[in-house]
Amino acid sequence: MRLSVAILCATLLLGGPPAAAQAPPPMPSAERVRLAEALRLGDALRERLWPGWGSIATPVLLVTDHAEYLVAHPRPTPEFRSLGRDALLGREVLARPRVFEPTLLAAFPAVNGVPTVVVGTPERTGKRSAEWVASVLHEQFHLWQYSLPDYYARVAALGLAGDDSTGRWMLEFPFPYDSPPVGRAVERLASALARPAARDTPALSGVRAARGALRSVLTPAEERYLEFQLWQEGTARFIEIMAVRAAAAAEPPDSAFRALPDYEPYRSTADRLERRLRDQLQGLRLDRDRRTAFYPLGAALARLLDTLRPDWKRRYADGPPRLDHLLEGSSTGR
């Protein structure tokens, strides 16, 4: 489960304080190859995929079972030791004994208050190498979202936190996941978005009708929470899929990445991610999937916007954090 940026480090499951007396080992060879590929693709694709994404810092903290490795961080804290500049990564590597759980896939202020991608190894996160690389780009997109000048003010203006100052409301908001009417309305929206013809006018009308029906069974606060999740997590899931598709058409990875035992071409990974998105939409159950249902719904809405409204990425940051105002202004042929 990906954690939200506002969740403080103290709320995570920590592995205990770093043992400063023991020097961290070098980064494992396979993780070095995978991280190098994630950094290479990020540098090559971010600005192509989203305007302004390429201009921000994208620090990464790689968490292994025994140590953590930090790259591209502007203000590291003193417990990190420099391992020197890594020729393959093209960056200085800093290391410390492990603090965070090695199963994390997250973006939050993990080091010195700076939003950072925190990622465990493919083995610990249950992903193949190419899909792991895509997950790193997903989290790097969250860093762009957090970099928006008024991100925190707009999220606070949603009025959903109550007395929570840790950000856990982003995960624990009491959305009516077990409500049969809400569940049926969510499934209707998922079904409309799963149709291959979702880009034509009748299908777009079906998506809008399903979205309106869902809105009618939610309170205003519940509707704001839904839209925020679609805007934030759903768009990041869409970018993850688009990044792998773009990687399939870009310069191929180097021989070391292709030699990894779980290697597969990016085209195969993209096909699998798109099949998974379709299957998730067709089989979505809100009472079972809970908050993770918002990921495929938001990704499919972002894909629809990408088809119908080429300027939507430049308007994404306008107004409150939601996608529906962009969809309502869309029409085929625009």
Side-chain angles (χ1 to χ4, degrees):
M1 178 182 295
R2 293 183 171 91
L3 302 184
S4 303
V5 63
I7 297 177
L8 301 179
C9 296
T11 69
L12 296 169
L13 295 175
L14 302 183
Q22 184 176 0
M27 187 183 302
S29 176
E31 310 318 325
R32 182 169 165 261
V33 168
R34 289 161 174 145
L35 182 57
E37 175 62 8
L39 297 175
R40 179 191 75 86
L41 270 188
D43 290 346
L45 298 179
R46 282 197 305 273
E47 193 63 29
R48 286 171 50 189
L49 291 170
W50 198 279
W53 189 15
S55 65
I56 68 163
T58 52
V60 177
L61 183 69
L62 172 66
V63 183
T64 67
D65 285 348
H66 303 293
E68 297 177 356
Y69 302 91
L70 183 67
V71 297
H73 196 286
R75 299 192 305 275
T77 44
E79 75 271 15
F80 285 94
R81 295 189 181 190
S82 176
L83 300 182
R85 181 176 176 82
D86 188 294
L88 181 62
L89 300 177
R91 293 164 173 82
E92 181 185 20
V93 177
L94 305 175
R96 71 181 180 188
R98 182 175 69 82
V99 172
F100 294 112
E101 284 296 311
T103 54
L104 276 177
L105 279 170
F108 61 99
V111 178
N112 209 11
V114 176
T116 300
V117 172
V118 182
V119 56
T121 63
E123 291 80 7
R124 289 296 225 145
T125 56
K127 295 182 178 292
R128 302 181 192 178
S129 289
E131 193 172 341
W132 182 89
V133 167
S135 294
V136 173
L137 269 68
H138 174 124
E139 300 302 338
Q140 287 184 333
F141 184 74
H142 284 319
L143 299 185
W144 178 82
Q145 291 171 322
Y146 306 154
S147 77
L148 296 173
D150 56 351
Y151 171 84
Y152 296 99
R154 285 196 288 160
V155 171
L158 294 174
L160 300 175
D163 296 331
D164 175 28
S165 61
T166 70
R168 290 207 66 86
W169 66 267
M170 294 186 186
L171 301 179
E172 299 175 352
F173 180 84
F175 193 80
Y177 298 110
D178 296 312
S179 163
V182 174
R184 287 192 294 270
V186 167
E187 290 168 24
R188 178 183 172 188
L189 177 60
S191 178
L193 287 166
R195 295 191 185 108
R199 66 188 61 190
D200 62 29
T201 300
L204 176 59
S205 298
V207 170
R208 286 173 170 163
R211 183 66 191 86
L214 175 56
R215 184 181 295 113
S216 71
V217 295
L218 297 175
T219 68
E222 291 163 355
E223 202 267 342
R224 292 195 302 274
Y225 180 73
L226 167 68
E227 279 296 331
F228 170 68
Q229 291 290 343
L230 299 178
W231 180 89
Q232 180 156 294
E233 293 294 352
T235 306
R237 174 64 59 82
F238 163 77
I239 287 295
E240 179 179 338
I241 297 170
M242 296 303 293
V244 179
R245 184 60 71 191
E251 182 179 346
D254 65 17
S255 57
F257 189 79
R258 297 196 306 271
L260 292 171
D262 63 348
Y263 169 75
E264 67 175 356
Y266 282 120
R267 189 172 305 279
S268 300
T269 304
D271 290 344
R272 188 174 70 256
L273 292 180
E274 289 174 353
R275 286 194 303 271
R276 181 183 302 166
L277 175 61
R278 183 186 64 244
D279 293 345
Q280 287 173 333
L281 291 169
Q282 292 174 340
L284 191 143
R285 283 277 307 277
L286 184 64
D287 58 348
R288 178 196 63 209
D289 301 331
R290 320 299 281 187
R291 193 181 71 92
T292 62
F294 302 140
Y295 288 60
L297 288 173
L301 283 167
R303 182 179 60 186
L304 183 58
L305 282 166
D306 211 45
T307 300
L308 300 178
R309 190 163 196 166
D311 67 336
W312 78 281
K313 293 176 182 176
R314 297 192 180 278
R315 299 192 56 200
Y316 173 87
D318 297 342
R322 54 192 306 136
L323 294 179
D324 61 343
H325 69 292
L326 299 174
L327 185 65
E328 289 306 313
S330 299
S331 63
T332 54
R334 289 186 63 175

